[in-house]
Amino acid sequence: MPIQVRPLSYGIGAEISGVDLGRPVDDATRAAIRQAWLDHLVIVFRGQDLPPPRQIAFGRMFGELDDHKSVPFYRHPEHPEIYLITNKKIGGKESQTKDTGRLWHSDHSFTTHPTMATMLYCLEIPPVGGTTMVCNMYRAYETLSPALRAVLDKLDAVHSLEHYSAHNPYFTSRDPEQIRKMNELSPPVAQPVVRVHPETGRKALYISEGQTQRFVGMSQAESAGLLQYLFEHSVKPEFTYRHAWKVNDMLMWDNRCTNHLAVPDYSHQTTRHMHRLTVLGTPSGRLLEPQER
Ligand code: OGA
Ligand code: MN
């Protein structure tokens, strides 16, 4: 039976029904899912039973999976492809990922091999909140004036994990030694401010409040005003979808044309536990030259 695709908002997002991802998915269904994902940027599957091997098998249908080497400290003990986004204590220690994603970002844009897709699967969710927002960065680009688009088309911007950790108020629980290691694993990179999507050919803004520090060749002070404008512009309500999770939901978003945010709208007295998997994309950007730092 063909899948059904129901848009979830005007600007972004669709719910896919009529498929059980817990079982092998045939080629026609996979192609229909991929098309719906390219069209809607983030897709939602409800009521899926996905133990890690099944989530991994589904992920592999879309490409090579990341083993989270750039953030190695919170992988699933038996499945390095699965990264735990959780506020549960593990081994008696406070979770290092309980506040992952609290600033808008695109996964791994601070590397030269950023991810294509993220698949986030919900195992436990607080009674209220714990929502995730996703915004449409094609629309963010397309709604700018032609003159500003022409300026941005020529610019690169610095993305770094160091910047993300330094200005993120939720990063305080992380141990400094771990932050040092993360920065060593991921030195700053230059990414195009406008990225051409390798599959759709459409242009999207590729900057984020979390990870973008400044324009290449400009100081942070020179960049700040325009970047702040773009951060605010790109998350206008009409460009966003906000997902209220239920257990067994799986969300799959396209990191090449969206940013996302883990909204801090719940209490850590309640449990939120997710399995994340990321599919690698085509390379983007380059390491910053020492003289550009
Ligand atoms: C992520 C992320 C958002 C969330 O897993 O990459 O940003 O809502 N998660 O947990
Ligand atoms: Mn993320």
Side-chain angles (χ1 to χ4, degrees):
M1 200 178 75
I3 58 165
Q4 291 88 54
V5 181
R6 184 175 68 86
L8 290 168
S9 76
Y10 180 68
I12 179 172
E15 182 172 322
I16 310 291
S17 51
V19 61
D20 176 1
L21 304 183
R23 303 158 66 112
V25 172
D26 63 48
D27 284 349
T29 306
R30 179 193 42 188
I33 291 172
R34 188 166 195 122
Q35 194 57 53
W37 174 65
L38 290 172
D39 292 344
H40 296 280
L41 289 55
V42 55
I43 52 178
V44 178
F45 301 89
R46 301 267 191 190
Q48 301 290 331
D49 180 18
L50 289 176
R54 264 319 303 166
Q55 190 180 355
I56 290 167
F58 180 68
R60 286 216 174 105
M61 297 183 74
F62 290 85
E64 191 192 337
L65 303 186
D66 189 2
D67 60 5
H68 299 103
K69 260 210 279 304
S70 57
V71 277
F73 43 85
Y74 236 66
R75 301 189 279 197
H76 189 288
E78 285 131 50
H79 304 279
E81 301 90 342
I82 302 255
Y83 187 67
L84 303 176
I85 303 285
T86 187
N87 62 4
K88 281 191 195 186
K89 283 192 171 156
I90 292 191
K93 282 174 76 180
E94 195 184 352
S95 168
Q96 303 278 324
T97 59
K98 70 183 178 44
D99 287 310
T100 287
R102 297 280 183 244
L103 297 176
W104 285 95
H105 66 284
S106 170
D107 289 332
H108 300 187
S109 75
F110 52 83
T111 73
T112 52
H113 48 90
T115 65
M116 170 174 90
T118 300
M119 298 180 180
L120 194 62
Y121 179 60
C122 178
L123 291 111
E124 290 179 67
I125 192 75
V128 289
T131 57
T132 302
M133 293 185 75
V134 189
C135 70
N136 183 334
M137 298 299 276
Y138 292 133
R139 293 292 295 145
Y141 176 74
E142 289 160 2
T143 50
L144 296 170
S145 65
L148 181 52
R149 274 184 272 153
V151 170
L152 297 175
D153 279 342
K154 297 194 211 71
L155 294 178
D156 290 331
V158 179
H159 290 227
S160 91
L161 196 51
E162 186 175 8
H163 175 65
Y164 187 71
S165 48
H167 80 125
N168 183 347
Y170 289 92
F171 238 70
T172 50
S173 66
R174 290 223 169 140
D175 130 33
E177 180 55 13
Q178 206 160 64
I179 292 178
R180 197 190 58 74
K181 264 195 219 141
M182 282 193 317
N183 293 336
E184 207 172 83
L185 285 167
S186 302
V189 303
Q191 293 288 359
V193 168
V194 178
R195 191 170 174 193
V196 178
H197 192 290
E199 288 182 81
T200 64
R202 288 173 74 188
K203 286 180 175 179
L205 268 188
Y206 193 57
I207 49 147
S208 68
E209 177 167 34
Q211 291 159 342
T212 308
Q213 186 181 21
R214 58 184 173 83
F215 296 112
V216 172
M218 298 187 207
S219 69
Q220 211 164 324
E222 287 171 325
S223 310
L226 180 51
L227 277 179
Q228 191 56 36
Y229 168 75
L230 294 172
F231 297 151
E232 285 167 23
H233 167 76
S234 61
V235 299
K236 285 189 171 138
E238 60 271 34
F239 305 151
T240 71
Y241 167 68
R242 182 168 182 162
H243 188 65
W245 291 91
K246 291 195 173 68
V247 169
N248 293 345
D249 284 355
M250 193 175 77
L251 235 66
M252 171 176 169
W253 62 76
D254 188 336
N255 285 300
R256 303 165 296 185
C257 54
T258 66
N259 284 341
H260 60 278
L261 176 74
V263 185
D265 58 352
Y266 62 102
S267 157
H268 280 315
Q269 305 307 323
T270 59
T271 303
R272 186 178 191 270
H273 190 69
M274 308 274 188
H275 281 177
R276 182 180 103 170
L277 176 153
T278 44
V279 184
L280 292 172
T282 47
S284 176
R286 59 176 173 83
L287 286 181
L288 218 57
E289 301 292 340
Q291 69 273 16
E292 293 175 313
R293 298 228 174 143

